[in-house]
């Protein structure tokens, strides 16, 4: 797969990556590839140079499961702060926890659970208590920009809980890819609860598109008066 980035856990189980500083890599600061029950915590990831669509501070890739991404600081102009992705239909990352991370300045999404499989899968990943701000939204021809983006049939069962999201979709110009603080698209049975969203100068606080059985409960959305592109807070 070429030069992936700072730290690669390839098929690893039960490993710990902690208290590292990673800067200037071309793909992912830390990549978990088909890895299980690993923990990435307390790392500082800055100034990544990745222009690839899956460049990220931390990437949880393919069939990786039961990994914990916790308490990391990611301030980098790559596409994603944290990316959980299945690039192949039968390789689904499941039951991973993304918790307590600080993410600033991603160019596409703060945290993305990107599962484009046509087969519905209960992957049950959790995005909990992260702080996300200043997502620019210049990727995909200015169509990106959500603080948290959950998309695809295999993203079913994702939990988005108690996150703090501020000032995303800064340069977004189109509604094609569900621009919002939190965007849930083309999936089922996700729960979006107790999140706090503010400072969205463009588009919505929470947007749910072409979904079924989504629970949106107990969230706080504070929309600035200057926002003229929002359809609604939710």
């Amino acid at each position: 797969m070429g030069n992936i980035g700072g730290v690669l856990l390839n098929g690893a189980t039960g490993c710990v990556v902690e208290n590292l500083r990673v800067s200037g890599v071309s793909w992912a600061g830390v990549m978990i590839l088909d890895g299980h029950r690993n923990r990435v915590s307390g790392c500082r990831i800055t100034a990544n140079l990745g222009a690839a669509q899956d460049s990220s501070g931390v990437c949880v890739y393919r069939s990786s499961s039961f990994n914990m991404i916790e308490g990391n600081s990611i301030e980098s102009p790559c596409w994603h702060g944290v990316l959980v992705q299945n690039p192949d239909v039968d390789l689904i990352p499941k039951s991973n926890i993304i918790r307590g991370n600080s993410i600033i300045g991603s160019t596409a999404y703060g945290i993305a659970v990107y599962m484009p499989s046509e087969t519905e899968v209960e992957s049950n990943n959790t995005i909990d208590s992260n702080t996300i701000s200043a997502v620019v939204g210049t990727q995909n021809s200015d169509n990106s920009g959500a603080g948290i983006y959950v998309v695809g049939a295999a993203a079913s069962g994702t939990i988005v809980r108690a996150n703090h999201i501020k000032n995303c979709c800064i340069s977004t110009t189109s509604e094609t890819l569900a621009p919002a603080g939190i965007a849930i698209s083309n999936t089922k049975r996700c729960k979006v609860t107790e999140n706090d969203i503010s400072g969205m100068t463009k588009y919505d606080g929470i947007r749910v598109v072409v979904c079924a059985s989504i629970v949106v409960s107990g969230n706080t959305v504070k929309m600035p008066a200057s926002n003229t592109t929002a359809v609604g807070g939710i």
Side-chain angles (χ1 to χ4, degrees), residues 147-159:
I148 296 173
Y149 186 47
V150 178
V151 61
S156 182
T158 301
I159 295 172

Side-chain angles (χ1 to χ4, degrees), residues 37-206:
R37 302 186 186 279
N38 301 292
R39 178 164 58 88
V40 179
S41 65
C43 296
R44 185 181 180 195
I45 300 170
T46 61
N48 283 12
L49 305 175
Q53 190 166 352
D54 47 8
S55 64
S56 51
V58 179
C59 185
V60 181
Y61 211 58
R62 302 209 307 189
S63 63
S64 298
S65 62
F66 296 98
N67 297 287
M68 172 73 77
I69 313 302
E70 182 175 32
N72 301 284
S73 175
I74 302 169
E75 187 170 355
S76 184
C78 53
W79 275 58
H80 316 281
V82 178
L83 173 63
V84 180
Q85 181 179 15
N86 76 304
D88 303 291
V89 172
D90 296 326
L91 299 173
I92 310 295
K94 298 179 180 179
S95 300
N96 298 286
I97 299 176
I98 316 301
R99 175 185 294 160
N101 302 282
S102 173
I103 297 170
I104 301 173
S106 303
T107 57
Y109 304 108
I111 297 173
V113 178
Y114 188 80
M115 306 285 203
S117 170
E118 295 182 2
T119 303
E120 183 184 335
V121 177
E122 293 277 349
S123 53
N124 298 321
N125 294 289
T126 297
I127 304 169
D128 181 18
S129 302
N130 301 279
T131 300
I132 301 167
S133 63
V135 178
V136 183
T138 50
Q139 304 297 349
N140 290 323
S141 301
D142 298 336
N143 286 327
S144 56
I148 296 173
Y149 186 47
V150 178
V151 61
S156 182
T158 301
I159 295 172
V160 180
R161 177 179 57 216
N163 299 281
H164 299 274
I165 300 169
K166 183 176 182 180
N167 191 26
C168 299
C169 301
I170 294 171
S171 297
T172 308
T173 60
S174 170
E175 298 186 34
T176 304
L177 298 177
I182 298 173
I184 311 294
S185 179
N186 290 279
T187 193
K188 297 181 179 179
R189 289 182 293 281
C190 297
K191 294 182 179 180
V192 181
T193 62
E194 302 176 46
N195 299 282
D196 182 86
I197 301 167
S198 64
M200 292 291 297
T201 59
K202 291 183 176 180
Y203 299 105
D204 304 311
I206 299 171

